[in-house]
Amino acid sequence: MLNLTELKQLITFADCGTLSKAASQLHLSQPTITRTMQHLEDAFNVPLFIRGKNKITLNETGMQAVKYARQLVADAETAASQIQAFHARLYTIAVETCAPAPLWSLLPLLSAQFPQQTISSKLSEVPTISQNVAAGICDIGILPYHADSDELTCIPVLQEKLFVCIVPQHELANNNSLTFTALNGFNCLLRSQIGFWDELCHQKMPASRFLIQTDEFAFKELIKTSTLPCFTTDLVKDTQDFLYGRQIIPCTDPEANVTYHFLCRKKRPDLIALANQLRMQNRL
């Protein structure tokens, strides 16, 4: 029988060139490596080495054995990682969302409904979310629109409205509402990790430049001291401390008023029930 540990030692010997170097790298004694090489010849039932005085080298068959050993070890490592990932998925509910706001109400609900499960979440590109739900890569997807599918259930669960935050001295401050067209050309502050909102702003405001902040504290301090416009939504809480004094003006573009949709496979009635609970909770 072939032994993966011994195959790894064969690979190390091939890479190092000598038994002593292989033994040193593997933190084994040289006699141990020598016995391993003998065991491998017995397992393959063919000679693998050219033996000289105090030295062995791989023969042509031995070099072919190393090639297969590398493949076997790689396959074994791949199988192990895939089995571990499969096991983790049995006890994990994975969520991929197009924006952070839906997670604020979804994650607590998931934790309450599935206390024995690990909940994982991440921001993903919109086009990949439905594909990943359908493929079983994630259990729940959150999209900014309805997605038709024979395999998936899509339920509206939450709405979010975009607002522009402008200091009183800004030339747009007297507007009752604004559009991306009106904002185009004005430089703005923008928070990182906001999902599809980032791409939307860049698409709709190509003449604008964005000062993007990754640190939340730095972002809020910049808002307090800067005259650059920034954005918020009706789902962002506790904004008075850093938006104080700014005009909060609604953005009226259809794309700025989003209905988030909960996506899961139709064979998951437990998640469908949770989506309907989330929809009722958010009064949609």
Side-chain angles (χ1 to χ4, degrees):
M1 293 290 292
L2 292 175
N3 181 296
L4 284 175
T5 300
E6 292 186 341
L7 290 176
K8 291 178 182 179
Q9 292 179 27
L10 175 64
I11 293 167
T12 303
F13 167 69
D15 292 339
C16 292
T18 68
L19 290 172
S20 60
K21 289 181 180 178
S24 176
Q25 182 167 319
L26 292 168
H27 305 290
L28 297 172
S29 68
Q30 187 167 327
T32 299
I33 296 290
T34 300
R35 285 193 297 271
T36 293
M37 300 304 110
Q38 293 169 345
H39 292 163
L40 285 170
E41 281 189 316
D42 292 340
F44 281 110
N45 199 28
V46 292
L48 302 177
F49 308 99
I50 302 170
R51 287 177 168 82
K53 187 177 181 180
N54 300 322
K55 182 180 180 181
I56 67 169
T57 58
L58 290 163
N59 62 22
E60 189 173 353
T61 303
M63 288 186 283
Q64 188 68 14
V66 171
K67 178 180 176 181
Y68 282 110
R70 292 188 194 277
Q71 186 62 55
L72 286 169
V73 169
D75 289 345
E77 290 173 349
T78 299
S81 64
Q82 289 180 346
I83 292 299
Q84 290 164 5
F86 177 82
H87 179 75
R89 290 282 291 112
L90 292 177
Y91 300 96
T92 302
I93 296 177
V95 182
E96 293 190 16
T97 181
C98 63
L103 297 176
W104 302 340
S105 54
L106 173 60
L107 294 185
L109 195 59
L110 278 170
S111 296
Q113 293 284 351
F114 302 95
Q116 304 303 317
Q117 302 281 80
T118 298
I119 311 300
S120 71
S121 63
K122 69 173 184 176
L123 288 171
S124 296
E125 298 291 332
V126 172
T128 68
I129 292 175
S130 57
Q131 298 171 13
N132 289 345
V133 175
I137 296 172
C138 66
D139 302 287
I140 298 169
I142 303 295
L143 295 174
Y145 50 72
H146 180 80
D148 291 313
S149 172
D150 294 334
E151 301 175 348
L152 305 176
T153 295
C154 190
I155 299 172
V157 293
L158 181 67
Q159 291 181 330
E160 186 172 31
K161 297 181 180 180
L162 187 69
F163 293 82
V164 187
C165 311
I166 296 181
V167 294
Q169 61 268 34
H170 196 280
E171 62 183 274
L172 296 177
N174 292 326
N175 288 274
N176 293 322
S177 63
L178 286 168
T179 63
F180 286 120
T181 300
L183 289 166
N184 190 29
F186 290 98
N187 299 333
C188 298
L189 297 172
L190 204 61
R191 182 78 165 86
S192 65
Q193 298 295 308
I194 56 174
F196 83 101
W197 289 115
D198 180 273
E199 182 180 357
L200 181 64
C201 289
H202 281 85
Q203 286 180 347
K204 294 294 183 178
M205 301 166 60
S208 299
R209 299 182 68 181
F210 299 94
L211 181 58
I212 299 175
Q213 292 297 304
T214 58
D215 182 80
E216 184 177 1
F217 176 79
F219 179 64
K220 290 180 178 180
E221 290 301 303
L222 263 178
I223 291 174
K224 293 176 184 178
T225 58
S226 171
T227 59
L228 293 175
C230 63
F231 298 93
T232 190
T233 79
D234 58 336
L235 298 181
V236 178
K237 306 301 182 184
D238 302 323
T239 60
Q240 289 301 313
D241 61 329
F242 63 96
L243 292 180
Y244 179 78
R246 286 182 175 249
Q247 305 292 103
I248 311 300
I249 304 172
C251 188
T252 56
D253 296 81
E255 302 92 336
N257 296 276
V258 180
T259 298
Y260 293 110
H261 287 72
F262 181 110
L263 201 64
C264 68
R265 293 185 295 282
K266 289 184 176 179
K267 63 180 182 179
R268 291 296 303 268
D270 53 341
L271 296 182
I272 294 172
L274 182 134
N276 285 317
Q277 184 178 346
L278 184 63
R279 177 175 58 84
M280 295 177 62
Q281 177 179 299
N282 292 315
R283 300 178 182 179
L284 196 64

